Amino acid sequence: MILYEHWSFDGRQLMLTPGDYPRFEAPLIDFNTWDNAISSFRVFDGVTVTFYEHPDFQGDSISFNGATQPEVDLSDWNDRVSSIRICEIGLQRCHVPYSSTRMIRLE
């Protein structure tokens, strides 16, 4: 999936692969600046994503399916996301241990 800093898929971009992202922290430079900074995203077919309001998958949550909602402006969830769970549908790839190789900073 690709996260965007602004509405309409604009601004900084960050690509994430399936797995758990309990907090927006290093190792990426400025990775922590993504906490409460996501305004839109693109998710690929075969993937579901759940956004959480607080770190460690706490607080309110909202889920999207790449097959039916591949591109979304977050409207009510604008700048509210603090943790993310990305799952491949039909595979046990939701709880991949943290690895910096799963994050790609796009500029």
Side-chain angles (χ1 to χ4, degrees), residues 43-78:
V43 64
F44 308 109
D45 191 15
V47 173
T48 61
V49 60
T50 303
F51 295 115
Y52 296 86
E53 182 179 25
H54 301 301
D56 299 316
F57 315 111
Q58 301 296 308
D60 290 338
S61 65
I62 188 168
S63 295
F64 298 91
N65 182 317
T68 58
Q69 299 165 299
E71 299 182 334
V72 177
D73 278 326
L74 285 172
S75 61
D76 292 343
W77 273 76
N78 183 49

Side-chain angles (χ1 to χ4, degrees), residues 17 21 27 98-104:
T17 60
Y21 298 87
Y98 177 82
S99 168
S100 62
T101 60
R102 295 186 356 242
M103 296 170 277
I104 302 169

